[in-house]
Amino acid sequence: MLKVGLLGAGRIAGVHATAISSHPGSTLAAVSDFYPENAEKLAAQYGSVARTTEEIIADDSIDAVLIATSTDTHSDLIEAATQAGKAVLCEKPVDLSLERARACQTATATTGKPVMIGFNRRFDPNFGAMKAALKAGDIGKPELLSITSFDPAPPPVAYVKVSGGLFRDMMIHDFDMANFMMGEPPVWVMAAGSSIVDPEIGAAGDVDTAVVTMTYADGRIAVIKNSRRAVYGYDQRVELLGSEGLLQAQNMLENTVVKSTTAGVTGAKPTYFFLERYMPSYAAEWAAFMEAISGGGALPVTLDDGIAALAMAEAATQSRKTGAPVRLADV
Amino acid sequence: MLKVGLLGAGRIAGVHATAISSHPGSTLAAVSDFYPENAEKLAAQYGSVARTTEEIIADDSIDAVLIATSTDTHSDLIEAATQAGKAVLCEKPVDLSLERARACQTATATTGKPVMIGFNRRFDPNFGAMKAALKAGDIGKPELLSITSFDPAPPPVAYVKVSGGLFRDMMIHDFDMANFMMGEPPVWVMAAGSSIVDPEIGAAGDVDTAVVTMTYADGRIAVIKNSRRAVYGYDQRVELLGSEGLLQAQNMLENTVVKSTTAGVTGAKPTYFFLERYMPSYAAEWAAFMEAISGGGALPVTLDDGIAALAMAEAATQSRKTGAPVRLADV
Amino acid sequence: MLKVGLLGAGRIAGVHATAISSHPGSTLAAVSDFYPENAEKLAAQYGSVARTTEEIIADDSIDAVLIATSTDTHSDLIEAATQAGKAVLCEKPVDLSLERARACQTATATTGKPVMIGFNRRFDPNFGAMKAALKAGDIGKPELLSITSFDPAPPPVAYVKVSGGLFRDMMIHDFDMANFMMGEPPVWVMAAGSSIVDPEIGAAGDVDTAVVTMTYADGRIAVIKNSRRAVYGYDQRVELLGSEGLLQAQNMLENTVVKSTTAGVTGAKPTYFFLERYMPSYAAEWAAFMEAISGGGALPVTLDDGIAALAMAEAATQSRKTGAPVRLADV
Amino acid sequence: MLKVGLLGAGRIAGVHATAISSHPGSTLAAVSDFYPENAEKLAAQYGSVARTTEEIIADDSIDAVLIATSTDTHSDLIEAATQAGKAVLCEKPVDLSLERARACQTATATTGKPVMIGFNRRFDPNFGAMKAALKAGDIGKPELLSITSFDPAPPPVAYVKVSGGLFRDMMIHDFDMANFMMGEPPVWVMAAGSSIVDPEIGAAGDVDTAVVTMTYADGRIAVIKNSRRAVYGYDQRVELLGSEGLLQAQNMLENTVVKSTTAGVTGAKPTYFFLERYMPSYAAEWAAFMEAISGGGALPVTLDDGIAALAMAEAATQSRKTGAPVRLADV
């Protein structure tokens, strides 16, 4: 039975707590949080105990930590946990600073401990089925990838200011999805972005609507569209044109009811936001982590994957500012 | 905290055990089964204990029982449990014999204890959304209901022989769905049926393909189509034409991936069978039972509902044999 | 070049005039109508001439007639035209009287002239593709057919009174569709019907909502649902369950635009009514008629087919009145 | 009755001939072609006559010409026809040379004669319905436009070499669609493109897969995806995210039949290519031209629109070569 320490007790930590507790091979040994009362509350709900982060990391009986704290603490905690001999599953992104993330990568490598980054969308059953079809050769050789990723509503501007910007905070998931589908990072990154949804976001130096085009060594192209606001719900679609066909992963809907009236034929909206849409992916992510560290197999998402996506976000950020394409190797 | 005894430890009992354990207001106090080792196994999985059915019913500290035993025991157990002062949630059908079910209803009524019948489909989010739209007046006055309900594969003939027949075993869910959507039972029942999927089923005296048409006092009509075999999966659709529109609850699919090739545009199949399709409904069913017995509110599905569906199955069985319509009031 | 006389100059005659004129092998030689000015007008539009029905039938230079007059004249005109040596394409139904239609069939048989009945839906590209898939064995052996056929709005009661009733006037198309898909007529016909859309229709002795179940010698079952009112448009769907799958022909929509807002995801309604939905089928029907009479091949829809559908309508009418199933061989 | 000369007798000219002949206000007065026998053949089919292009332009009884000749002759013929006092509907593009097209625009302006460019997709009922919904405010303020436009199969390399390249030959339709939906041209154009479908196309100096991102003065963004090969058919989709929702125009399908088997749920492919998909748009385009020149109203697509799309193609071509964004005002 793997004993797991959960660092962080916020909303997403609660989702992870369920996954850890429900998995037959893991148990939630302890929970910590910047606000101890939050850790107490979450621990109580799952029959666990609240401790400090330091205590958890120092406790040799704890085998693994799941890091679900604020982004600025990720690199430090990954380093501390791996140096303390623990396996790590860390929420994305690794860091807002690509430089710091790379330093963390170097430091971690020496420990030999497994570090998986929580790109949970790779474990969404729809994207998983799409990837499986791709690997099965159903559409031949991939050529043109298109990712549509719209949030239902923009976050508070206060959040935007500390988020690292749309490319590092929101599109980073889509960069990883591109890497997941294309099998490697692109060579060039070109970004267009504007603040058209909420002028406050623009005033804070960020964009709320963006299109990033990426080209690959062999001529393949990928395009990612992001918007901070799709009033009809969380719009999460991926499509990939190949030499022998097209694969599309479409939205999950709230229900399957269709109403036909004089006003038209109306179905349900997409599930509202990431918790609703991606809930099944968190349990699958944890199961994949468990399987890798138990069986000694390869991690399905590595720290390198986290760095790669972060580098793409960095390149997109630069490209958006200068208006010119950025070579990924140059960031 | 409601202490619950689970009678039966088969596959569906396992689903109920999860629902009971996960609900914040209930705890799985004991499990029984005809085969004690099955009860032991299920109890262990949920940190409960195995006991005999008699012990559970006799234990005054147990507040409620969930009956998930074989159909022929339902009436006896409902009577015993209610007479022992327990609230009951019993799997459908109440009984294969309408006469016995009615005797059970009479016996139970004297105890004043709540008995809910497990027509879990009423708690499926899709049918729930459809019913909500109907109640909201979205399609005006209902006129013509159509239920498509196909199993992916026929059961073993050994099962068919003891099942009470397609109308009592399989279509009983659809009879209840009709009552749920139409708000009352029909006046007339006309059935057509044949054994075309598997001649062994016909040899056992049952049908595997059937259409039942029902007419209501005010002229409304409902039609139910059943087949024991839809090789593409579990086909569960309901549509209702009203004076101002049409409502359709469509199938849940395994995933949202669509593949376009020279062969056509292919999407996923419906989720395979009832556990996959209706899994969310079991937790919702238990929550509704909990809410009713805790809050003293009305049960969402009553023993009367169970009797009504059983009477419709009886009428359909007679109609199929005689070829003539049967007045529901006459069975 | 086939010289064609068009008997009738109403709305559907106009559709046929276009088909006849556009076909490279046929020319519209003359048009007649009960109201000569209507014939004049239609003839002028297509560079043809208006004549009396008698003149057209007597004119040996005219090779074929298309009968698009009122139903009560069909049998007489089929007989007169075939006896005058002409090929005939006659709008459905053959007659409101099954007896009269059968007499027409006998009289016509002696002439050896081809008579095709205008069941245009057989030539709809969607139903055609469905039939082709069925013949290709895509779903194995057919077992359960379901036809949904709803008009957008009820006709005037004055029309209902002379229409022969819903079964002969409206469902007759669906009876033919069942024969087209199942390859033979059923053995038993059971009908339920009511007047729930418009009480005036009931007062006129007809129904506006009906379900007919039909059983076949080998155990197959078909069910047809009709309503005179689907406010969202013309609902024309066919589905057929077979031993290896399901085929569905779905509605044609007005356009492919989908709008997603906070209110849901809304697409276009079905095309409004039969002219919009079935327009392509009329040209295809004429082409099939041309091909059969030019090439000497078999007619795709025969007078026998017209009689068969009419007999099913008769059986359904009787069944609805008596409440009992009617054996088709008995009508 | 407007007398129309048709310049060109190729495949698309045949489509226009049908539209001109079928319209109640226009007649096909003459047809010319580089190969006189082609003109003879097409003229015969529509009861018209074959003449030389010069004769048609010199004939004062001819009111309008439809130019469907090879692209390199468009500018000259537009100038000659307008100077001869004729109204003009010219197939896209105006010219492969932006400079020549602008000179044509100047020369034509002095004649005061109406010149419409044949961007037929504006008259597709689906895009038309989408534009109507946009104008009705159904999705609020537009923010992010996405156009997917894939051909079913690449053209012969011989054609590619004289086509002006993918941006001028194929994407020009999409540039116009962007202008149609966004209501104005963009400020910046950024193109990525590669030859991944057919290396011969790359060897000929062109691309076969491309993504163009465009940004507008007010922050709106549009992205166009082109591929020369979608083996499943002609993929023509447009979607537009606005402040209050999303509009999507989806593909037209060959039919509405859906087949469910153990292999999945399969529907029909998109209609194969532009003639099938856009056939209705050509008649609507001609009707719109007729309405504008008869009623003296504004042309729905002008020579300016043709120039604007061509300038965008020029900008995209430059951007693809340099890798840098191009300001539209600079081309």
Side-chain angles (χ1 to χ4, degrees), chain D residues 189-237:
Chain D
V189 175
M190 281 194 294
S194 59
S195 171
I196 188 169
V197 168
D198 182 354
E200 296 276 316
I201 290 175
D206 199 5
V207 297
D208 49 40
T209 304
V211 172
V212 169
T213 304
M214 303 184 293
T215 54
Y216 294 76
D218 57 2
R220 287 177 299 164
I221 303 177
V223 60
I224 299 172
K225 293 177 289 171
N226 268 194
S227 170
R228 285 286 194 184
R229 180 185 61 199
V231 299
Y232 51 91
Y234 193 41
D235 197 337
Q236 297 282 300
R237 289 171 285 151

Side-chain angles (χ1 to χ4, degrees), chain D residues 67 74-75 78-79 82 88-95 98 100-111 113-119 122 176 299-311:
Chain D
I67 303 174
H74 286 183
S75 292
I78 291 171
E79 290 177 4
T82 51
V88 172
L89 172 52
C90 181
E91 269 295 322
K92 64 90 218 169
V94 179
D95 206 289
L98 180 57
R100 177 68 190 91
R102 283 175 173 157
C104 172
Q105 188 181 26
T106 307
T108 302
T110 63
T111 69
K113 286 290 148 189
V115 178
M116 177 163 146
I117 301 301
F119 284 123
R122 292 194 182 205
D176 183 65
L299 287 169
V301 202
T302 63
L303 187 48
D304 283 3
D305 290 320
I307 303 284
L310 191 59

Side-chain angles (χ1 to χ4, degrees), chain D residues 271-292:
Chain D
T271 49
Y272 186 68
F273 208 178
F274 68 97
L275 282 184
E276 290 82 3
R277 162 67 192 254
Y278 290 120
M279 189 55 81
S281 74
Y282 290 105
E285 177 185 78
W286 182 252
F289 176 73
M290 287 295 294
E291 192 183 335

Side-chain angles (χ1 to χ4, degrees), chain A residues 284-307:
Chain A
E285 177 185 77
W286 182 253
F289 176 73
M290 287 294 294
E291 192 184 334
I293 65 169
S294 312
L299 287 169
V301 203
T302 64
L303 187 48
D304 283 4
D305 290 321
I307 303 285

